[in-house]
Amino acid sequence: MKVEAIPILADAMKEYYDNYELERLCSRFDVEIDYEEMYPDHLKLARKLIDEIEDARHRRLLEDLLPELLKRCLERISNTTWENNVYHEHMLPQLRVLQILIGHR
């Protein structure tokens, strides 16, 4: 998988999951989260998930996570004013590319 996917995944997790929700999701798949001070290190988690995608836990987490990120992005686009949803509109095609990369690896 391309290294460009790492910051996209990290940004999406940070934007669309709160810290506790992300912790619960990772614990469901027995994936440890590193912390930067008291907050999850999203970049390190994204790097781990993508670099070690052959690990069944990481693959299952990604397979569960990516459709939910896409769903949440679409919800934000439809529920915010056009002035506020530029970020989400730019994130949408990137999340679709991530899904393709994960599915075709």
Side-chain angles (χ1 to χ4, degrees), residues 6-63:
I6 294 169
I8 295 167
L9 180 58
D11 287 345
M13 288 187 299
K14 190 172 187 176
E15 180 68 28
Y16 300 117
Y17 275 81
D18 68 39
N19 295 337
Y20 297 112
E21 191 176 22
L22 184 61
E23 289 169 2
R24 286 191 304 272
L25 177 66
C26 288
S27 69
R28 236 178 64 211
F29 293 95
D30 196 30
V31 173
E32 288 188 34
I33 299 178
D34 292 316
Y35 289 85
E36 189 174 280
E37 296 184 20
M38 56 190 258
Y39 301 104
D41 189 333
H42 295 88
L43 192 58
K44 195 176 266 188
L45 176 60
R47 180 173 290 114
K48 181 186 339 184
L49 293 174
I50 289 173
D51 286 349
E52 301 171 16
I53 196 167
E54 290 80 20
D55 183 313
R57 298 168 302 147
H58 297 165
R59 176 165 283 288
R60 286 192 322 263
L61 191 150
L62 282 169
E63 288 171 351

Side-chain angles (χ1 to χ4, degrees), residues 62-75:
L62 282 169
E63 288 171 351
D64 194 66
L65 178 66
L66 288 174
E68 186 63 26
L69 289 172
L70 185 61
K71 177 183 156 200
R72 292 175 184 206
C73 180
L74 288 167
E75 287 172 356

Side-chain angles (χ1 to χ4, degrees), residues 8 11-12 15-16 73 84-92:
I8 295 167
D11 287 345
E15 180 68 28
Y16 300 117
C73 180
N84 295 326
N85 71 8
V86 172
Y87 173 86
H88 308 293
E89 288 178 350
H90 284 93
M91 184 59 82
L92 185 61

